[in-house]
Amino acid sequence: MNTYNELHELAQTRKRKLGNNTYLVVRDDGGYGIRLHDTEIAIHYKDKIVLNTGGWYSHTTKSRMNEYTPFNIYQKNWEWFVNDKPYKDNMVIEVA
């Protein structure tokens, strides 16, 4: 599940737990958040996705971002990248 439409379909069901400590959040602004512990690590909108580690640059955070977004998020020399661009918290990526 890594698109707005897939998350929208899931939100219509009662299933909101996606994995260990990972939940789907229906936001008041029309977006769908992927919450890991207390941080929405990815927020899907129809035209964009917002990424945020909340300061937790962990293997699990990166793994969940890869699982629930269409992007390739990886680490090289202690620095994170999203599709070969340097990562920063609250990064907004336009999607078609």
Side-chain angles (χ1 to χ4, degrees), residues 70-85:
F71 311 124
N72 178 29
I73 300 159
Y74 63 95
Q75 181 176 336
K76 181 178 179 183
N77 295 328
W78 302 100
E79 193 173 344
W80 280 28
F81 294 88
V82 179
N83 294 346
D84 297 327
K85 295 182 181 179

Side-chain angles (χ1 to χ4, degrees), residues 20-31:
N20 191 28
N21 299 311
T22 308
Y23 296 88
L24 173 64
V25 177
V26 178
R27 297 172 47 93
D28 292 337
D29 62 3

Side-chain angles (χ1 to χ4, degrees), residues 36 38-42 51-57 61 65 80 87-90:
L36 175 61
D38 291 327
T39 303
E40 286 185 29
I41 60 170
L51 300 175
N52 182 29
T53 66
W56 297 96
Y57 288 86
T61 301
M65 285 180 168
W80 280 28
Y87 170 84
K88 63 181 182 197
D89 274 342
N90 299 308

Side-chain angles (χ1 to χ4, degrees), residues 5-23:
N5 290 334
E6 290 171 332
L7 293 172
H8 176 74
E9 289 297 319
L10 182 62
Q12 307 311 307
T13 70
R14 290 182 171 263
K15 183 180 179 190
R16 299 289 166 87
K17 185 169 184 174
L18 302 174
N20 191 28
N21 299 311
T22 308
Y23 296 88

